[in-house]
């Protein structure tokens, strides 16, 4: 069946460095790719998303890139801060119920 | 603020007991979902509903049932709880084409002993 692979499972960076999380999806019909941030003990919250007709989207320190040919998409966080520490989930959706989540990346930002 | 509310926040129950988790939303969304989160496994879909008369199984529906009492309410039941149903459960909502992301509830941490 369809799946989304997310790497790495754990990422540790120094404050101020960049962090990159990568996802690969299998369903060619996927056309919407959201990213969620889940802080400890909290609910996942949408932080950025990208649609299949766009290759890159940026919002302040976070950006997402999409390569539909390779079925890859990535989250980039620049100038990381301790409050960026959280679990990040990627997802791929073709609309309807078919939103498949990656297993998550636990990001640690060391001060 | 429009939101998604889950009750209870935490629950400990015994094996074999029936338990219901409740979700209500003020987002005005038609679509509601129940997910289960386990460490290292991400979010897995249990059931979803696109409107009051529409209920569908997700990838891990065995041992669970749901009820969509109204557009704003979607409850999840464990008919006879077992220890491997110990997990964090999230309700989520989305708009009619699901292409603007999900709004998640605050979660219910369920422990079955």
């Amino acid at each position: 069946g369809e799946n989304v692979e997310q790497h790495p499972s754990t990422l540790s960076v120094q404050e101020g460095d960049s962090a990159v999380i990568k996802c690969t999806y299998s369903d060619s019909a996927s056309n919407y790719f959201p990213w969620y941030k889940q802080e400890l003990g909290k609910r996942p919250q949408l932080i950025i998303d990208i649609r299949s007709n766009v290759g890159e989207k940026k919002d302040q320190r976070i950006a997402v890139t999409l390569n539909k040919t390779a079925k890859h998409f990535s989250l980039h966080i620049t100038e990381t801060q301790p409050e960026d520490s959280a679990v990040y989930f990627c997802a791929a959706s073709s609309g309807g119920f078919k939103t498949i989540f990656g297993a998550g990346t636990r990001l640690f930002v060391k001060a | 603020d429009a939101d998604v509310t889950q009750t209870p926040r935490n629950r400990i129950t015994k094996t074999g007991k029936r338990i219901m988790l409740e979700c209500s939303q003020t987002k005005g969304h038609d679509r509601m979902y129940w997910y289960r989160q386990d460490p290292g496994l991400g979010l897995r879909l249990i059931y979803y509903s696109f409107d009051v008369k529409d209920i569908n199984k997700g990838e891990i529906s065995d041992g669970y049932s749901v009820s969509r009492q109204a557009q704003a309410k979607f409850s999840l039941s464990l008919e006879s709880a077992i220890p491997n149903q110990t997990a964090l459960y999230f309700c989520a909502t989305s708009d009619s084409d699901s292409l603007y992301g999900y709004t998640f509830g605050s979660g219910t941490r369920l422990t079955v002993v």
Side-chain angles (χ1 to χ4, degrees):
Chain A
E2 293 88 357
N3 72 313
V4 173
E5 294 188 0
Q6 183 172 346
H7 299 281
S9 57
T10 305
L11 179 60
S12 183
V13 299
Q14 203 67 37
E15 182 178 2
D17 288 349
S18 296
V20 180
I21 302 170
K22 299 181 179 182
C23 290
T24 304
Y25 62 97
S26 61
D27 185 0
S28 299
S30 297
N31 56 5
Y32 174 67
F33 305 91
W35 286 87
Y36 295 87
K37 175 183 180 182
Q38 185 179 24
E39 297 178 357
L40 188 64
K42 303 263 182 86
R43 71 187 81 184
Q45 291 193 298
L46 180 69
I47 55 170
I48 194 169
D49 56 15
I50 191 167
R51 301 180 193 285
S52 58
N53 58 347
V54 175
E56 183 173 358
K57 183 177 179 180
K58 191 172 182 179
D59 182 4
Q60 298 183 0
R61 295 187 296 108
I62 60 174
V64 58
T65 59
L66 172 64
N67 182 330
K68 283 218 75 177
T69 303
K71 297 182 185 174
H72 290 167
F73 58 113
S74 300
L75 178 71
H76 304 252
I77 306 174
T78 58
E79 300 173 24
T80 54
Q81 301 169 3
E83 53 264 38
D84 295 329
S85 296
V87 177
Y88 292 81
F89 292 98
C90 64
S93 174
S94 56
F97 73 96
K98 278 193 150 185
T99 295
I100 308 295
F101 287 86
T105 295
R106 186 173 296 277
L107 174 64
F108 296 96
V109 180
K110 295 176 288 186
Chain B
D1 287 339
D3 205 355
V4 181
T5 303
Q6 288 182 236
T7 56
R9 291 296 307 274
N10 293 280
R11 181 73 181 267
I12 300 174
T13 192
K14 293 184 178 181
T15 298
K17 291 291 188 182
R18 183 179 189 274
I19 182 169
M20 179 182 289
L21 310 183
E22 298 186 349
C23 177
S24 63
Q25 52 116 346
T26 57
K27 300 285 292 184
H29 287 164
D30 288 325
R31 298 183 172 189
M32 299 187 74
Y33 311 82
W34 276 103
Y35 280 88
R36 169 177 172 160
Q37 184 175 30
D38 298 277
L41 294 177
L43 292 152
R44 294 185 291 166
L45 182 64
I46 306 172
Y47 271 95
Y48 64 101
S49 170
F50 282 179
D51 65 41
V52 176
K53 296 181 181 179
D54 177 77
I55 301 289
N56 302 280
K57 293 182 177 180
E59 60 181 299
I60 56 164
S61 60
D62 288 347
Y64 302 94
S65 63
V66 291
S67 174
R68 186 81 184 265
Q69 299 96 324
Q71 189 219 24
K73 295 184 182 295
F74 191 38
S75 59
L76 175 73
S77 294
L78 287 66
E79 298 300 326
S80 180
I82 56 176
N84 77 358
Q85 291 178 312
T86 293
L88 184 57
Y89 291 85
F90 285 104
C91 174
T93 72
S94 70
D95 62 7
S96 57
D97 61 10
S98 303
L99 292 180
Y100 291 92
Y102 288 0
T103 300
F104 285 89
S106 50
T108 295
R109 186 168 295 280
L110 178 66
T111 303
V112 183
V113 297

PDB file of all heavy atoms in Angstrom, chain A residues 19-42:
ATOM      1  N   ALA A  19      18.512  22.696   9.859  1.00  0.00           N
ATOM      2  CA  ALA A  19      18.028  21.314   9.987  1.00  0.00           C
ATOM      3  C   ALA A  19      17.230  20.968   8.739  1.00  0.00           C
ATOM      4  O   ALA A  19      16.462  21.798   8.233  1.00  0.00           O
ATOM      5  CB  ALA A  19      17.157  21.163  11.228  1.00  0.00           C
ATOM      6  N   VAL A  20      17.429  19.758   8.252  1.00  0.00           N
ATOM      7  CA  VAL A  20      16.711  19.289   7.065  1.00  0.00           C
ATOM      8  C   VAL A  20      16.092  17.929   7.361  1.00  0.00           C
ATOM      9  O   VAL A  20      16.772  17.025   7.846  1.00  0.00           O
ATOM     10  CB  VAL A  20      17.642  19.168   5.844  1.00  0.00           C
ATOM     11  CG1 VAL A  20      16.844  18.676   4.627  1.00  0.00           C
ATOM     12  CG2 VAL A  20      18.317  20.496   5.547  1.00  0.00           C
ATOM     13  N   ILE A  21      14.834  17.795   7.064  1.00  0.00           N
ATOM     14  CA  ILE A  21      14.104  16.540   7.231  1.00  0.00           C
ATOM     15  C   ILE A  21      13.551  16.152   5.861  1.00  0.00           C
ATOM     16  O   ILE A  21      12.967  16.997   5.167  1.00  0.00           O
ATOM     17  CB  ILE A  21      12.961  16.683   8.247  1.00  0.00           C
ATOM     18  CG1 ILE A  21      13.514  17.142   9.603  1.00  0.00           C
ATOM     19  CG2 ILE A  21      12.208  15.362   8.397  1.00  0.00           C
ATOM     20  CD1 ILE A  21      12.445  17.543  10.602  1.00  0.00           C
ATOM     21  N   LYS A  22      13.734  14.883   5.499  1.00  0.00           N
ATOM     22  CA  LYS A  22      13.354  14.445   4.161  1.00  0.00           C
ATOM     23  C   LYS A  22      12.266  13.378   4.197  1.00  0.00           C
ATOM     24  O   LYS A  22      12.267  12.522   5.087  1.00  0.00           O
ATOM     25  CB  LYS A  22      14.582  13.902   3.436  1.00  0.00           C
ATOM     26  CG  LYS A  22      15.684  14.944   3.260  1.00  0.00           C
ATOM     27  CD  LYS A  22      16.871  14.381   2.509  1.00  0.00           C
ATOM     28  CE  LYS A  22      17.934  15.469   2.324  1.00  0.00           C
ATOM     29  NZ  LYS A  22      19.099  14.972   1.555  1.00  0.00           N
ATOM     30  N   CYS A  23      11.387  13.442   3.212  1.00  0.00           N
ATOM     31  CA  CYS A  23      10.312  12.460   3.099  1.00  0.00           C
ATOM     32  C   CYS A  23      10.186  11.986   1.665  1.00  0.00           C
ATOM     33  O   CYS A  23      10.418  12.756   0.717  1.00  0.00           O
ATOM     34  CB  CYS A  23       8.980  13.041   3.573  1.00  0.00           C
ATOM     35  SG  CYS A  23       8.924  13.306   5.353  1.00  0.00           S
ATOM     36  N   THR A  24       9.823  10.732   1.526  1.00  0.00           N
ATOM     37  CA  THR A  24       9.568  10.122   0.228  1.00  0.00           C
ATOM     38  C   THR A  24       8.191   9.485   0.260  1.00  0.00           C
ATOM     39  O   THR A  24       7.841   8.826   1.250  1.00  0.00           O
ATOM     40  CB  THR A  24      10.623   9.041  -0.079  1.00  0.00           C
ATOM     41  OG1 THR A  24      11.918   9.616  -0.005  1.00  0.00           O
ATOM     42  CG2 THR A  24      10.413   8.438  -1.445  1.00  0.00           C
ATOM     43  N   TYR A  25       7.398   9.694  -0.785  1.00  0.00           N
ATOM     44  CA  TYR A  25       6.062   9.129  -0.818  1.00  0.00           C
ATOM     45  C   TYR A  25       5.930   8.185  -2.013  1.00  0.00           C
ATOM     46  O   TYR A  25       6.709   8.240  -2.962  1.00  0.00           O
ATOM     47  CB  TYR A  25       4.996  10.227  -0.867  1.00  0.00           C
ATOM     48  CG  TYR A  25       5.045  11.111  -2.085  1.00  0.00           C
ATOM     49  CD1 TYR A  25       4.217  10.883  -3.184  1.00  0.00           C
ATOM     50  CD2 TYR A  25       5.921  12.193  -2.145  1.00  0.00           C
ATOM     51  CE1 TYR A  25       4.252  11.708  -4.291  1.00  0.00           C
ATOM     52  CE2 TYR A  25       5.968  13.017  -3.251  1.00  0.00           C
ATOM     53  CZ  TYR A  25       5.136  12.778  -4.320  1.00  0.00           C
ATOM     54  OH  TYR A  25       5.176  13.589  -5.425  1.00  0.00           O
ATOM     55  N   SER A  26       4.926   7.326  -1.956  1.00  0.00           N
ATOM     56  CA  SER A  26       4.777   6.317  -3.012  1.00  0.00           C
ATOM     57  C   SER A  26       3.548   6.541  -3.892  1.00  0.00           C
ATOM     58  O   SER A  26       3.526   6.070  -5.039  1.00  0.00           O
ATOM     59  CB  SER A  26       4.705   4.919  -2.387  1.00  0.00           C
ATOM     60  OG  SER A  26       3.585   4.829  -1.520  1.00  0.00           O
ATOM     61  N   ASP A  27       2.529   7.237  -3.398  1.00  0.00           N
ATOM     62  CA  ASP A  27       1.293   7.395  -4.156  1.00  0.00           C
ATOM     63  C   ASP A  27       1.420   8.529  -5.175  1.00  0.00           C
ATOM     64  O   ASP A  27       1.491   9.704  -4.799  1.00  0.00           O
ATOM     65  CB  ASP A  27       0.149   7.691  -3.192  1.00  0.00           C
ATOM     66  CG  ASP A  27      -1.210   7.760  -3.880  1.00  0.00           C
ATOM     67  OD1 ASP A  27      -1.266   7.567  -5.124  1.00  0.00           O
ATOM     68  OD2 ASP A  27      -2.212   8.003  -3.201  1.00  0.00           O
ATOM     69  N   SER A  28       1.423   8.188  -6.427  1.00  0.00           N
ATOM     70  CA  SER A  28       1.582   9.192  -7.478  1.00  0.00           C
ATOM     71  C   SER A  28       0.444  10.202  -7.510  1.00  0.00           C
ATOM     72  O   SER A  28       0.584  11.286  -8.068  1.00  0.00           O
ATOM     73  CB  SER A  28       1.659   8.494  -8.848  1.00  0.00           C
ATOM     74  OG  SER A  28       2.751   7.632  -8.903  1.00  0.00           O
ATOM     75  N   ALA A  29      -0.693   9.841  -6.915  1.00  0.00           N
ATOM     76  CA  ALA A  29      -1.839  10.754  -6.905  1.00  0.00           C
ATOM     77  C   ALA A  29      -1.730  11.835  -5.830  1.00  0.00           C
ATOM     78  O   ALA A  29      -2.541  12.756  -5.787  1.00  0.00           O
ATOM     79  CB  ALA A  29      -3.131   9.965  -6.691  1.00  0.00           C
ATOM     80  N   SER A  30      -0.737  11.750  -4.976  1.00  0.00           N
ATOM     81  CA  SER A  30      -0.572  12.749  -3.908  1.00  0.00           C
ATOM     82  C   SER A  30      -0.342  14.120  -4.502  1.00  0.00           C
ATOM     83  O   SER A  30       0.468  14.281  -5.422  1.00  0.00           O
ATOM     84  CB  SER A  30       0.606  12.367  -3.001  1.00  0.00           C
ATOM     85  OG  SER A  30       0.373  11.151  -2.353  1.00  0.00           O
ATOM     86  N   ASN A  31      -1.063  15.108  -3.986  1.00  0.00           N
ATOM     87  CA  ASN A  31      -0.924  16.454  -4.529  1.00  0.00           C
ATOM     88  C   ASN A  31      -0.883  17.532  -3.455  1.00  0.00           C
ATOM     89  O   ASN A  31      -0.905  18.728  -3.751  1.00  0.00           O
ATOM     90  CB  ASN A  31      -2.059  16.752  -5.531  1.00  0.00           C
ATOM     91  CG  ASN A  31      -3.426  16.560  -4.903  1.00  0.00           C
ATOM     92  OD1 ASN A  31      -3.550  16.296  -3.711  1.00  0.00           O
ATOM     93  ND2 ASN A  31      -4.471  16.701  -5.711  1.00  0.00           N
ATOM     94  N   TYR A  32      -0.822  17.114  -2.202  1.00  0.00           N
ATOM     95  CA  TYR A  32      -0.786  18.074  -1.102  1.00  0.00           C
ATOM     96  C   TYR A  32       0.113  17.505  -0.019  1.00  0.00           C
ATOM     97  O   TYR A  32      -0.045  16.340   0.374  1.00  0.00           O
ATOM     98  CB  TYR A  32      -2.205  18.323  -0.574  1.00  0.00           C
ATOM     99  CG  TYR A  32      -2.271  19.182   0.660  1.00  0.00           C
ATOM    100  CD1 TYR A  32      -1.907  20.525   0.611  1.00  0.00           C
ATOM    101  CD2 TYR A  32      -2.714  18.667   1.864  1.00  0.00           C
ATOM    102  CE1 TYR A  32      -1.963  21.319   1.734  1.00  0.00           C
ATOM    103  CE2 TYR A  32      -2.776  19.455   3.004  1.00  0.00           C
ATOM    104  CZ  TYR A  32      -2.410  20.787   2.932  1.00  0.00           C
ATOM    105  OH  TYR A  32      -2.468  21.563   4.047  1.00  0.00           O
ATOM    106  N   PHE A  33       1.063  18.344   0.467  1.00  0.00           N
ATOM    107  CA  PHE A  33       2.108  17.840   1.358  1.00  0.00           C
ATOM    108  C   PHE A  33       2.248  18.778   2.562  1.00  0.00           C
ATOM    109  O   PHE A  33       2.987  19.765   2.520  1.00  0.00           O
ATOM    110  CB  PHE A  33       3.433  17.730   0.586  1.00  0.00           C
ATOM    111  CG  PHE A  33       3.299  16.903  -0.656  1.00  0.00           C
ATOM    112  CD1 PHE A  33       2.964  17.492  -1.872  1.00  0.00           C
ATOM    113  CD2 PHE A  33       3.481  15.527  -0.619  1.00  0.00           C
ATOM    114  CE1 PHE A  33       2.807  16.739  -3.029  1.00  0.00           C
ATOM    115  CE2 PHE A  33       3.332  14.759  -1.763  1.00  0.00           C
ATOM    116  CZ  PHE A  33       2.996  15.366  -2.968  1.00  0.00           C
ATOM    117  N   PRO A  34       1.558  18.461   3.640  1.00  0.00           N
ATOM    118  CA  PRO A  34       1.648  19.304   4.837  1.00  0.00           C
ATOM    119  C   PRO A  34       2.749  18.823   5.773  1.00  0.00           C
ATOM    120  O   PRO A  34       3.129  17.647   5.760  1.00  0.00           O
ATOM    121  CB  PRO A  34       0.269  19.107   5.492  1.00  0.00           C
ATOM    122  CG  PRO A  34      -0.128  17.727   5.086  1.00  0.00           C
ATOM    123  CD  PRO A  34       0.481  17.466   3.743  1.00  0.00           C
ATOM    124  N   TRP A  35       3.228  19.731   6.602  1.00  0.00           N
ATOM    125  CA  TRP A  35       4.168  19.406   7.666  1.00  0.00           C
ATOM    126  C   TRP A  35       3.562  19.851   8.998  1.00  0.00           C
ATOM    127  O   TRP A  35       3.026  20.955   9.109  1.00  0.00           O
ATOM    128  CB  TRP A  35       5.504  20.124   7.455  1.00  0.00           C
ATOM    129  CG  TRP A  35       6.335  19.542   6.367  1.00  0.00           C
ATOM    130  CD1 TRP A  35       6.293  19.835   5.031  1.00  0.00           C
ATOM    131  CD2 TRP A  35       7.365  18.554   6.516  1.00  0.00           C
ATOM    132  NE1 TRP A  35       7.213  19.088   4.338  1.00  0.00           N
ATOM    133  CE2 TRP A  35       7.894  18.299   5.234  1.00  0.00           C
ATOM    134  CE3 TRP A  35       7.898  17.861   7.606  1.00  0.00           C
ATOM    135  CZ2 TRP A  35       8.926  17.381   5.004  1.00  0.00           C
ATOM    136  CZ3 TRP A  35       8.924  16.967   7.377  1.00  0.00           C
ATOM    137  CH2 TRP A  35       9.423  16.727   6.094  1.00  0.00           C
ATOM    138  N   TYR A  36       3.694  18.963  10.000  1.00  0.00           N
ATOM    139  CA  TYR A  36       3.158  19.252  11.320  1.00  0.00           C
ATOM    140  C   TYR A  36       4.283  19.244  12.346  1.00  0.00           C
ATOM    141  O   TYR A  36       5.211  18.451  12.261  1.00  0.00           O
ATOM    142  CB  TYR A  36       2.103  18.204  11.717  1.00  0.00           C
ATOM    143  CG  TYR A  36       0.872  18.230  10.850  1.00  0.00           C
ATOM    144  CD1 TYR A  36       0.822  17.509   9.668  1.00  0.00           C
ATOM    145  CD2 TYR A  36      -0.231  18.987  11.217  1.00  0.00           C
ATOM    146  CE1 TYR A  36      -0.308  17.540   8.855  1.00  0.00           C
ATOM    147  CE2 TYR A  36      -1.371  19.022  10.410  1.00  0.00           C
ATOM    148  CZ  TYR A  36      -1.395  18.291   9.238  1.00  0.00           C
ATOM    149  OH  TYR A  36      -2.511  18.327   8.446  1.00  0.00           O
ATOM    150  N   LYS A  37       4.134  20.117  13.334  1.00  0.00           N
ATOM    151  CA  LYS A  37       5.075  20.176  14.456  1.00  0.00           C
ATOM    152  C   LYS A  37       4.326  19.769  15.717  1.00  0.00           C
ATOM    153  O   LYS A  37       3.235  20.285  15.969  1.00  0.00           O
ATOM    154  CB  LYS A  37       5.609  21.611  14.610  1.00  0.00           C
ATOM    155  CG  LYS A  37       6.512  21.832  15.813  1.00  0.00           C
ATOM    156  CD  LYS A  37       6.929  23.299  15.907  1.00  0.00           C
ATOM    157  CE  LYS A  37       7.831  23.556  17.097  1.00  0.00           C
ATOM    158  NZ  LYS A  37       8.204  24.990  17.234  1.00  0.00           N
ATOM    159  N   GLN A  38       4.912  18.844  16.473  1.00  0.00           N
ATOM    160  CA  GLN A  38       4.292  18.406  17.716  1.00  0.00           C
ATOM    161  C   GLN A  38       5.263  18.624  18.866  1.00  0.00           C
ATOM    162  O   GLN A  38       6.251  17.901  19.009  1.00  0.00           O
ATOM    163  CB  GLN A  38       3.871  16.934  17.646  1.00  0.00           C
ATOM    164  CG  GLN A  38       3.106  16.471  18.869  1.00  0.00           C
ATOM    165  CD  GLN A  38       2.675  15.016  18.778  1.00  0.00           C
ATOM    166  OE1 GLN A  38       3.269  14.218  18.066  1.00  0.00           O
ATOM    167  NE2 GLN A  38       1.614  14.667  19.494  1.00  0.00           N
ATOM    168  N   GLU A  39       4.991  19.608  19.674  1.00  0.00           N
ATOM    169  CA  GLU A  39       5.796  19.835  20.870  1.00  0.00           C
ATOM    170  C   GLU A  39       5.416  18.824  21.937  1.00  0.00           C
ATOM    171  O   GLU A  39       4.331  18.227  21.887  1.00  0.00           O
ATOM    172  CB  GLU A  39       5.604  21.269  21.347  1.00  0.00           C
ATOM    173  CG  GLU A  39       6.085  22.300  20.331  1.00  0.00           C
ATOM    174  CD  GLU A  39       5.853  23.728  20.761  1.00  0.00           C
ATOM    175  OE1 GLU A  39       5.261  23.943  21.834  1.00  0.00           O
ATOM    176  OE2 GLU A  39       6.264  24.633  20.022  1.00  0.00           O
ATOM    177  N   LEU A  40       6.288  18.636  22.874  1.00  0.00           N
ATOM    178  CA  LEU A  40       6.106  17.612  23.894  1.00  0.00           C
ATOM    179  C   LEU A  40       4.788  17.796  24.634  1.00  0.00           C
ATOM    180  O   LEU A  40       4.513  18.868  25.178  1.00  0.00           O
ATOM    181  CB  LEU A  40       7.286  17.648  24.876  1.00  0.00           C
ATOM    182  CG  LEU A  40       7.349  16.511  25.887  1.00  0.00           C
ATOM    183  CD1 LEU A  40       7.548  15.186  25.160  1.00  0.00           C
ATOM    184  CD2 LEU A  40       8.468  16.755  26.888  1.00  0.00           C
ATOM    185  N   GLY A  41       3.957  16.750  24.617  1.00  0.00           N
ATOM    186  CA  GLY A  41       2.692  16.799  25.319  1.00  0.00           C
ATOM    187  C   GLY A  41       1.600  17.601  24.644  1.00  0.00           C
ATOM    188  O   GLY A  41       0.538  17.818  25.214  1.00  0.00           O
ATOM    189  N   LYS A  42       1.861  18.050  23.403  1.00  0.00           N
ATOM    190  CA  LYS A  42       0.884  18.891  22.703  1.00  0.00           C
ATOM    191  C   LYS A  42       0.359  18.176  21.454  1.00  0.00           C
ATOM    192  O   LYS A  42       0.818  17.103  21.085  1.00  0.00           O
ATOM    193  CB  LYS A  42       1.539  20.208  22.303  1.00  0.00           C
ATOM    194  CG  LYS A  42       2.144  20.986  23.482  1.00  0.00           C
ATOM    195  CD  LYS A  42       1.213  22.027  23.990  1.00  0.00           C
ATOM    196  CE  LYS A  42       1.807  22.835  25.123  1.00  0.00           C
ATOM    197  NZ  LYS A  42       2.600  23.971  24.621  1.00  0.00           N
TER     198      LYS A  42
END
